[in-house]
Amino acid sequence: MVKVDYKLIDEILGRYDYDKGNIIAIMQAVQEEYRYLPQAALEYIAEKIGVSMAKIFGVATFYENFSMDAKGKYVIKVCRGTACHVRKSANVLEAVYEATGLNEDKPSTEDGLFTVEIVSCLGACGLAPVVVVNDEVHSKMTPEKAQALISELKEKEDVR
């Protein structure tokens, strides 16, 4: 569980004038800092801007880009849309799972380094199959290229 920095949350709230009309922007800024929306941060935001936790939770769960679950430093999105599927993204996904030690039931590593997400479309069909790591697109992926990518990220973090 991550420790919430309430001074940082106050800084973010201040940028948006503690205005409940800016709830989405506030939550986006918090998620940018933590890579997800910690429960304690949401409770604090609700109190400070004068809205119920039900309202905060409703916004957090309505928008697909918000996450209530902790994510790894590297969020690996594997596209399973039609173009990627036809070009064998299932094999790429299996290679990513194998290289990270993850699976559908366990999407994040214990050390907080990797999270694997299956997405239905990344909007890069001409580059299929596609994997996105954080905001970096990796096109025409193969299982070998996927494993090399994970190895490169591990080396960067000095993890074997």
Side-chain angles (χ1 to χ4, degrees):
M1 180 174 226
V2 72
K3 185 170 173 23
V4 174
D5 179 350
Y6 294 105
K7 286 183 183 178
L8 174 63
I9 304 295
D10 279 328
E11 209 174 279
I12 291 168
L13 289 166
R15 275 188 259 160
Y16 296 98
D17 300 321
Y18 289 78
D19 181 357
K20 62 183 162 199
N22 291 319
I23 192 170
I24 292 172
I26 291 166
M27 291 167 70
Q28 286 173 323
V30 169
Q31 183 163 287
E32 193 173 301
E33 291 293 329
Y34 293 98
R35 295 189 306 272
Y36 79 111
L37 296 170
Q39 177 80 23
L42 294 179
E43 290 169 358
Y44 188 76
I45 291 166
E47 179 185 323
K48 291 293 186 171
I49 65 173
V51 298
S52 69
M53 262 311 287
K55 170 79 173 172
I56 294 278
F57 187 75
V59 172
T61 57
F62 179 79
Y63 293 101
E64 193 173 308
N65 284 338
F66 287 131
S67 176
M68 302 286 289
D69 299 317
K71 295 194 180 204
K73 179 176 182 177
Y74 297 103
V75 177
I76 304 162
K77 295 180 182 183
V78 180
C79 184
R80 295 288 288 132
T82 304
C84 289
H85 174 75
V86 168
R87 293 191 179 104
K88 307 206 183 308
S89 64
N91 297 341
V92 172
L93 177 62
E94 284 309 311
V96 169
Y97 279 154
E98 185 180 312
T100 58
L102 297 172
N103 58 54
E104 263 187 81
D105 296 326
K106 183 184 175 205
S108 296
T109 56
E110 301 288 328
D111 62 5
L113 196 57
F114 297 110
T115 295
V116 176
E117 297 179 346
I118 301 168
V119 297
S120 48
C121 186
L122 289 167
C125 302
L127 305 173
V130 175
V131 169
V132 172
V133 178
N134 296 348
D135 291 322
E136 188 177 326
V137 176
H138 299 271
S139 62
K140 302 192 186 313
M141 290 301 290
T142 64
E144 297 77 23
K145 286 169 76 175
Q147 288 192 327
L149 174 62
I150 303 302
S151 291
E152 185 181 311
L153 294 172
K154 286 180 177 179
E155 284 175 26
K156 189 177 187 178
E157 298 298 322
D158 200 28
V159 175
R160 305 276 178 240

